[in-house]
RNA sequence: GCCGACAUAGCUUAGUUGGUGGAGCGGUGGACUGUUAAUCCACAGGUCGCAGGUUCGAGUCCUGCUGUCGGCGCCA
């Protein structure tokens, strides 16, 4: 079996006046005992089909009349351009029910289930996520997400980056150890990776420009609209690069994602109420860069209680991002606020050569990156200074022992970018099966 | 880890100072030949999250538990 007729092509007028065979699912069904209006959904759209008892005969008409929402069907008939609401209709002449829905268990996602959700997510919809995926809002989000993933791949591949895979079982942490997922590993302990970075640095002298998109895992009991325990992490690492060059790629990839969405998903973005002018601005306007010290001054001038040396938490990020209409970089954090792999600034070692990219509209951090500590002497100092044991990082230190070079990279939260660019209220809305501290099912 | 809410039919919910739980959607049966969340009539569907307590009497008041949601911290 195959399918060669798609609803969006019918709606575009490709089949006007022709007999076609349509495969899909019943979205809505209404009408009388003599005529039924059956709206069929497929992955590309919805179209109204007209079933008449006089044409179909009693058997198939009654079968169709009794078919519940989300039954799968094959319908054959003639495409007719009309000036009614849908623009095109199919006058059904024959067909068959492929997968009938049992009336004892009707499709549970009803209008009422959707009405209160309004883009957000009720417990019921989260419990029935596997069915919620079929609704138009979720389908739209998944299409946008696909384009975001495609844009990230094309950005790096078009610039001769090599896609490179790191293990997901690891022995040590990248970030603080408290957020590691521990898994039993044949009598030993292993952890789920928090980042591809350390393994990417090992391959940096071999590939020089590399990237990945892979899940990262963080056992944070975060209950916010921008955290998942399993999230998709786009990371890159580049040899012979400074913090500034890494930032150029960060800006480049985010702008490329925005322009790709404008090309590929304007209709979808508009259908969920996203202002396309905003997306165009994110694609076209340069992203400003401010230093951590300037950010502190801005915050203090606004009367925010913040001291130099503190990391900037979300409440402060939000105040800062309110001043910007496009994403903006924060650079040169105090070294005491950042982990050992960030390289101290040779011009003032109180700071490290790092950057965060903050999305506007209150969405906050989407990229964290910077230049790496790359000499053996410096990396050992930084590890010891932090009180981190050296042993799990021997392979990482070896990268410096054998021809270390200046290099850097960043990690981008793909789900966060999807949330921001789609204008979603919650990161859960943009991933099919979200994982957080309270939910691993379905 | 911390703080705050919520839990009534398959879904969304109403439920007064405590007195035998209603509706809309969905489902079933019926009417209806152009409907747009179709309409109209009828029917079925409830251990009011769980366990205690107060009371003549608890969906309603109290305590504990469980689950979920929202926010903070941390981060992408």
């Amino acid at each position: 079996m195959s399918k060669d007729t798609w609803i969006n092509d019918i709606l575009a007028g490709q089949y006007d006046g022709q007999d076609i065979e349509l495969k899909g699912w019943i979205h809505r069904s209404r009408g009388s005992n003599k005529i039924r209006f059956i709206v069929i959904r497929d992955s590309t759209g919805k179209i109204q089909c007209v079933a008449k008892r006089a044409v179909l005969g009693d058997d198939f008409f009654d079968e169709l009349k009794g078919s519940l929402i989300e039954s799968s069907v094959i319908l054959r008939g003639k495409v007719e351009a009309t000036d009614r609401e849908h623009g095109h209709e199919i006058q059904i002449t024959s067909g068959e029910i492929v997968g009938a829905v049992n009336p004892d268990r009707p499709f549970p996602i009803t209008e009422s289930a959707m009405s209160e959700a309004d883009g957000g997510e009720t417990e019921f919809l989260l419990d029935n996520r596997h069915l919620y995926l079929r609704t138009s809002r979720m389908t739209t989000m998944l299409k946008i997400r696909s384009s975001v993933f495609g844009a990230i791949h094309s950005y790096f591949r078009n610039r001769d980056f090599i896609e490179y895979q790191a293990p997901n079982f690891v022995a040590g942490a990248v970030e603080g150890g408290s957020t590691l997922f521990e898994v039993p590993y044949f009598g030993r302990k292993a952890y789920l990776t928090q980042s591809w970075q350390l393994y990417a640095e090992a391959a940096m002298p071999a590939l020089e420009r590399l990237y990945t998109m892979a899940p990262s895992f963080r056992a944070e009991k975060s209950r916010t609209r921008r955290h998942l325990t399993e999230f998709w992490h786009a990371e890159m690492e580049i040899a012979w690069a400074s913090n500034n060059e890494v930032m150029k790629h960060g800006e480049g990839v985010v702008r490329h994602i925005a322009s790709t969405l404008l090309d590929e998903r304007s209709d979808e973005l508009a259908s969920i109420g996203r202002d396309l002018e905003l997306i165009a601005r994110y694609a076209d306007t340069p992203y400003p860069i401010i230093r951590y010290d300037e950010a502190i001054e801005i915050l203090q001038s606004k009367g925010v209680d913040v001291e130099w040396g503190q990391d900037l938490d979300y409440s402060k990020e939000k105040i800062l991002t309110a001043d910007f209409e496009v994403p903006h970089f924060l650079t040169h954090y105090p070294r005491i606020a950042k982990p050992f792999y960030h390289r101290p600034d040779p011009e003032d070692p109180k700071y490290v050569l790092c950057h965060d990219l903050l999305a506007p509209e209150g969405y906050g951090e989407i990229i964290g990156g910077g230049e790496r500590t790359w000499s053996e002497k410096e990396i050992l100092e930084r590890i010891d200074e932090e009180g981190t044991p050296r042993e799990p990082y021997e392979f990482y230190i070896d990268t410096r022992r054998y021809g270390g070079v200046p290099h850097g990279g960043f990690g981008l939260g793909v789900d966060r970018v999807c949330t921001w660019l789609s204008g979603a209220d919650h990161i859960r809305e943009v991933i099919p099966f979200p994982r957080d501290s309270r939910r691993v099912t379905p």
Side-chain angles (χ1 to χ4, degrees), chain A residues 72-84:
Chain A
S72 49
V73 295
I74 299 173
L75 298 176
R76 287 173 285 273
K78 181 170 291 206
V79 177
E80 196 176 72
T82 79
D83 48 9
R84 297 195 182 91

Side-chain angles (χ1 to χ4, degrees), chain A residues 92-268:
Chain A
I92 306 170
T93 51
S94 68
E96 60 206 81
I97 311 298
V98 178
V101 172
N102 184 341
D104 291 338
R105 302 192 62 158
F107 192 69
I109 315 282
T110 59
E111 293 286 348
S112 55
M114 299 286 293
S115 65
E116 285 299 307
D118 195 28
E121 266 132 30
T122 62
E123 179 182 351
F124 176 78
L125 292 179
L126 289 165
D127 286 341
N128 288 280
R129 190 66 167 201
H130 52 297
L131 302 176
Y132 185 45
L133 295 183
R134 308 179 182 200
T135 64
S136 62
R137 184 178 175 89
M138 200 65 220
T139 303
T140 298
M141 288 297 189
L142 294 177
K143 289 177 183 174
I144 292 169
R145 181 180 176 89
S146 170
S147 288
V148 170
F149 274 66
I152 292 168
H153 280 297
S154 68
Y155 177 87
F156 287 113
R157 284 171 177 261
N158 289 341
R159 286 160 184 79
D160 294 319
F161 280 71
I162 303 294
E163 184 176 1
Y164 162 83
Q165 293 81 28
N168 288 321
F169 287 123
V170 298
V174 178
E175 310 291 342
S178 62
T179 62
L180 281 169
F181 278 110
E182 190 179 303
V183 289
Y185 200 82
F186 303 112
R188 283 180 293 160
K189 288 176 185 172
Y191 306 92
L192 296 180
T193 186
Q194 297 178 307
S195 168
W196 160 96
Q197 180 195 324
L198 300 191
Y199 290 90
E201 287 188 64
M204 175 273 299
L207 301 173
E208 295 190 281
R209 289 166 289 186
L210 52 159
Y211 84 100
T212 197
M213 256 195 296
S216 283
F217 305 90
R218 301 207 180 155
E220 293 157 348
K221 288 187 179 169
S222 306
R223 300 203 48 74
T224 78
R225 59 189 59 203
R226 54 195 187 284
H227 282 86
L228 296 166
T229 52
E230 175 182 344
F231 67 96
W232 284 80
H233 210 173
E235 296 181 85
M236 65 84 88
E237 200 69 31
I238 182 168
W240 316 104
S242 65
N243 193 40
N244 280 334
E245 186 170 358
V246 175
M247 281 162 60
K248 279 183 192 139
H249 283 294
E251 175 169 349
V253 71
V254 172
R255 289 168 66 159
H256 180 65
I257 294 166
S259 66
T260 301
L261 286 185
L262 283 177
D263 286 346
E264 299 179 0
R265 299 297 172 196
S266 285
D267 290 347
E268 283 83 359

